[in-house]
Amino acid sequence: MVRNIKTRKGMIYGLLLATITYVGAEAADEGVLPVPSDRAVELAQSAIIVDGHVDFPSQLLESGVDPINNGGATNFDFDRAIRAGFNAPFMSIYVSSHFEETGGAKARADILIGVMEGLTQQYPDKFTISTSVKDVRKAAKAGKVSFAFGMENGSPIEGDLENLHHFYDRGVRYITLAHSKANHISDSSYDDDKRWGGLSPFGRVLVREMNELGVIVDVSHISDDAFFDVIEISKAPVIASHSGARHFTPGFERNMTDDMIKRLAENNGVIMINFGTHFLTKDGSGRRLGRDQAYVDYRAERGLSDTALVYSEFRKWFDINVEVPFAGVSDVVDHIDYVRDLVGIDHVGLGSDFDGVGDTLPTGLKDVSGLPVLIQEMIDRGYSDKEIRKVLGENALRVWSAVEKTANNN
């Protein structure tokens, strides 16, 4: 039964939840999503929800899904987002690491930006592009879903600072310096090849130029040494757009150690918690670490070399063929609790990785419609409305504002 929800927005959301079932391996067991309280629904609708990382642009380009209502083909669409109050995602301009080897990284990023620009032109009453904090707040008041752009992988910079300015002009407001392989900017947490011992010489120059221009530095995906290089260099706060606390996932370098989180907080930055099961639990990360050996076996059986393209194809194969021990909403909030207790509520946010982590999302958070369920879990743990609003988006907007101010003061 749907609870009696007093507000019109709450009633709409309650009816939506009563009809949506999970898409994925556990659909038969899970049934319908739980219905959050009136307070959770109101917070979702009134807050600005900034998600640090949503991979919908690649899905839109490659699959041509309906961006308004696609029946669960992706984790994001307009109807589910607007009903859940999901109004300010950073859309990932994701460029695979193999473009560093083959060329074409800049062109790929430009294509993805163009796809999202086209979407806002086709549906101007529903979507808009935000290039400033002011834009985000204005769009929220207008009831639109606001797209900010975060470039996942710095390969499109192609060693030329003019390209940084080009992408700033196209709306990119953060750059994840590397992805699954080391590139000309930084070492990667996923790559045993630590060719630079952190940032490359060009990477150090790039971080300074990003500060000057007003582009947020994203430390997700980069190696530990590269993270500490960034913290030493950056004059502005930085983000980890979609990471977790390594406390819960020992040995999983993609997540952040306590020391890294403390240094991030000293920088006034924010870690935005990834919803992927392998980021959340020891069992989930064990699956991810086991993937390393599976990758070796996969290549040996097929006689393939270790290239970024081969790794990308392997990832698709692995996610389809290897069972996932799903995390839950409570595991996401465990990470939020941990960061809050370690460095304070001002340094944690949300970076779902919707449409980027395959069928590894937690029970209760299989798509954007689950955000009020996450809010309910925080309410149940005693978070105040002010604290919840900080986690949902105000912390991320504070960092963005500080980056804007740093650039304006140069």
Side-chain angles (χ1 to χ4, degrees), residues 246-310:
R246 204 179 301 177
H247 168 82
F248 296 96
T249 59
F252 185 40
E253 189 178 350
R254 200 28 202 90
N255 277 347
M256 302 181 73
T257 65
D258 287 7
D259 189 34
M260 293 167 74
I261 295 170
K262 289 175 182 177
R263 293 293 301 275
L264 184 76
E266 291 170 3
N267 167 264
N268 206 26
V270 174
I271 175 175
M272 308 179 79
I273 303 302
N274 193 308
F275 295 176
T277 285
H278 49 294
F279 288 84
L280 297 173
T281 67
K282 185 176 181 179
D283 286 345
S285 66
R287 173 186 180 272
R288 169 60 183 83
L289 294 170
R291 192 169 73 191
D292 294 343
Q293 182 58 49
Y295 179 49
V296 173
D297 297 340
Y298 176 91
R299 294 197 332 266
E301 290 168 4
R302 294 162 176 78
L304 300 172
S305 300
D306 178 16
T307 68
L309 183 58
V310 168

Side-chain angles (χ1 to χ4, degrees), residues 26 56 69 114 156 196 198 200 220 223 228 234 278 289 338-339 342 345 361:
E26 82 285 21
F56 182 72
N69 186 337
W196 305 114
S200 72
S220 287
S223 69
F228 288 110
S234 182
H278 49 294
L289 294 170
Y338 188 80
V339 175
L342 185 66
I345 193 67
L361 290 163

Side-chain angles (χ1 to χ4, degrees), residues 206-233:
L206 179 67
V207 167
R208 295 186 182 97
E209 189 70 11
M210 290 169 69
N211 285 173
E212 296 282 330
L213 191 57
V215 179
I216 305 166
V217 179
D218 177 22
V219 298
S220 287
H221 278 287
I222 65 176
S223 69
D224 291 5
D225 287 338
F227 165 81
F228 288 110
D229 284 347
V230 168
I231 292 298
E232 289 299 323
I233 294 168

Side-chain angles (χ1 to χ4, degrees), residues 70-336:
N70 61 44
T74 59
N75 303 143
F76 168 89
D77 64 28
F78 177 80
D79 285 354
R80 283 175 290 167
I82 208 71
R83 286 178 172 86
F86 187 80
N87 51 6
F90 270 94
M91 286 291 171
S92 173
I93 306 304
Y94 164 63
V95 177
S96 171
S97 296
H98 80 263
F99 285 100
E100 182 90 1
E101 302 164 0
T102 63
K106 179 175 180 289
R108 175 70 177 187
D110 276 326
I111 289 168
L112 285 167
I113 293 170
V115 167
M116 299 307 290
E117 288 173 339
L119 189 60
T120 63
Q121 292 165 9
Q122 186 175 1
Y123 301 102
D125 58 325
K126 294 178 173 63
F127 302 119
T128 188
I129 294 171
S130 290
T131 60
S132 67
V133 174
K134 182 179 179 180
D135 286 349
V136 171
R137 296 195 185 281
K138 180 179 178 181
K141 288 181 180 179
K144 296 182 181 182
V145 175
S146 166
F147 298 147
F149 294 151
M151 181 184 289
E152 187 179 24
N153 191 1
S155 288
I157 302 302
E158 297 184 346
D160 187 347
L161 293 180
E162 287 301 312
N163 287 335
L164 172 64
H165 288 256
H166 165 79
F167 285 115
Y168 178 85
D169 291 342
R170 295 212 66 186
V172 170
R173 288 300 178 269
Y174 81 64
I175 296 176
T176 314
L177 300 181
H179 191 249
S180 61
K181 295 286 184 181
N183 62 15
H184 68 284
I185 297 166
S186 175
D187 292 335
S188 165
S189 63
Y190 280 148
D191 193 352
D192 290 336
D193 175 16
K194 309 298 187 190
R195 68 183 65 170
W196 305 114
L199 293 180
S200 72
F202 176 76
R204 293 171 177 272
V205 173
L206 179 67
V207 167
R208 295 186 182 97
E209 189 70 11
M210 290 169 69
N211 285 173
E212 296 282 330
L213 191 57
V215 179
I216 305 166
V217 179
D218 177 22
V219 298
S220 287
H221 278 287
I222 65 176
S223 69
D224 291 5
D225 287 338
F227 165 81
F228 288 110
D229 284 347
V230 168
I231 292 298
E232 289 299 323
I233 294 168
S234 182
K235 295 186 295 183
V238 306
I239 62 169
S241 67
H242 56 308
S243 295
R246 204 179 301 177
H247 168 82
F248 296 96
T249 59
F252 185 40
E253 189 178 350
R254 200 28 202 90
N255 277 347
M256 302 181 73
T257 65
D258 287 7
D259 189 34
M260 293 167 74
I261 295 170
K262 289 175 182 177
R263 293 293 301 275
L264 184 76
E266 291 170 3
N267 167 264
N268 206 26
V270 174
I271 175 175
M272 308 179 79
I273 303 302
N274 193 308
F275 295 176
T277 285
H278 49 294
F279 288 84
L280 297 173
T281 67
K282 185 176 181 179
D283 286 345
S285 66
R287 173 186 180 272
R288 169 60 183 83
L289 294 170
R291 192 169 73 191
D292 294 343
Q293 182 58 49
Y295 179 49
V296 173
D297 297 340
Y298 176 91
R299 294 197 332 266
E301 290 168 4
R302 294 162 176 78
L304 300 172
S305 300
D306 178 16
T307 68
L309 183 58
V310 168
Y311 183 72
S312 177
E313 292 302 315
F314 162 77
R315 281 284 305 275
K316 295 174 185 177
W317 173 88
F318 188 83
D319 286 343
I320 291 170
N321 288 281
V322 179
E323 184 178 354
V324 180
F326 290 105
V329 175
S330 62
D331 294 301
V332 178
V333 183
D334 284 348
H335 281 251
I336 295 171

